[in-house]
Amino acid sequence: MPEGTPVEIDLRLESVMEGVLVTGTARASAEGECVRCLEPVELELDVDFQEMFSYPDSDDRGRSKAAADDEAEADEDMIPLEDGMFDLEPVLRDAVVLALPMQPVCREDCAGLCSECGTNLNENPDHHHDAVDVRWAALQGLAGSLGTDEKDNMSGKASDGDVRSAAEKQEK
């Protein structure tokens, strides 16, 4: 999301024993690139979120914490209210980032880019390269230099004359 992009937020604040339960929906637009063809993509996001902001002097059951309770571990899931205020930015950022697609595409049938030359296959769907296996390239040159009769003899096919001479040799 570009900096300064407006975000529409609908909030519901509920006072509960532990603190304030914030439930809401955020609507915003995000910009990025298609992972297949690198064209710009604009996405409309509609994200639901819920977070509990706790009173700083209460435990998870709403009771006051004892001042001498040094053994208690700080609960990482509880975000404390500070002077009756809460910071919604980290909650919104986390919710929006989790709602973004891992691999955004400009359209579902996006063909992407050619892996050899980078041509956009959406604009040129008939684009292709003749695949040549470099291991066989020398043999392709050899096959082109041989004549038709030589190819037949090289491939093991016998001509009619070869068959007759072999038969004559067997009779002798």
Side-chain angles (χ1 to χ4, degrees):
M1 291 177 33
E3 189 174 337
T5 302
V7 178
E8 181 182 326
I9 302 173
D10 293 326
L11 287 178
R12 178 179 178 176
L13 306 174
E14 296 178 63
S15 177
V16 293
M17 292 294 291
E18 298 86 13
V20 178
L21 179 66
V22 179
T23 307
T25 303
R27 288 176 203 80
S29 61
E31 296 176 359
E33 291 180 337
C34 175
V35 295
R36 296 180 188 163
C37 68
L38 303 178
E39 292 293 322
V41 174
E42 187 168 322
L43 304 167
E44 294 298 322
L45 299 174
D46 196 8
V47 181
D48 294 326
F49 61 92
Q50 185 174 34
E51 191 65 47
M52 175 65 147
F53 293 91
S54 65
Y55 297 124
D57 58 350
S58 67
D59 65 6
D60 60 349
R61 294 188 182 145
R63 297 180 295 211
S64 293
K65 289 185 180 178
D69 191 19
D70 293 333
E71 295 177 303
E73 296 179 12
D75 191 2
E76 294 177 10
D77 295 335
M78 301 294 266
I79 302 173
L81 285 168
E82 296 176 12
D83 297 329
M85 307 286 280
F86 56 85
D87 186 11
L88 202 54
E89 182 183 357
V91 175
L92 283 174
R93 183 177 48 245
D94 291 347
V96 168
V97 167
L98 290 173
L100 291 172
M102 292 293 284
Q103 297 183 339
V105 290
C106 57
R107 61 180 199 239
E108 289 300 318
D109 63 340
C110 178
L113 301 176
C114 174
S115 61
E116 293 188 33
C117 65
T119 299
N120 189 337
L121 298 175
N122 295 318
E123 297 171 0
N124 189 358
D126 297 328
H127 174 78
H128 71 281
H129 295 274
D130 293 331
V132 176
D133 191 344
V134 294
R135 299 172 292 183
W136 298 99
L139 292 177
Q140 284 181 328
L142 179 64
S145 67
L146 294 175
T148 317
D149 293 336
E150 293 176 47
K151 286 182 188 177
D152 287 342
N153 290 336
M154 297 296 286
S155 66
K157 292 182 182 176
S159 63
D160 288 339
D162 292 340
V163 172
R164 282 188 205 123
S165 65
E168 290 172 6
K169 287 181 187 176
Q170 253 186 351
E171 288 177 7
K172 292 180 183 178

